[in-house]
Amino acid sequence: MTMYSHPEHPTHPSPPRSAESVTLHRAGRRTNTVILVGGLAALGWTGGMIYTIAGWFTGG
């Protein structure tokens, strides 16, 4: 068998970093906040469901 002749990960030219760095930083911070809030909401929902189902089984 022969190896592929083309590279598996072609390199793309990177965009200029001057004006986009602030925008990308703000977008990244917003994305992290959304993930954090969503994760906390999911944990809260899961905890509430466990508490509810446990209440059903214990008769309380």
Side-chain angles (χ1 to χ4, degrees):
M1 294 181 69
T2 59
M3 299 298 290
Y4 294 110
S5 60
H6 62 84
E8 294 183 9
H9 301 288
T11 58
H12 298 287
S14 60
R17 304 276 177 166
S18 58
E20 294 185 4
S21 61
V22 176
T23 305
L24 288 174
H25 182 67
R26 289 179 183 168
R29 182 181 296 175
R30 186 177 62 212
T31 302
N32 289 339
T33 304
V34 169
I35 292 172
L36 177 63
V37 172
L40 290 175
L43 285 175
W45 183 85
T46 304
M49 289 302 295
I50 292 172
Y51 182 77
T52 302
I53 294 171
W56 289 343
F57 281 118
T58 57

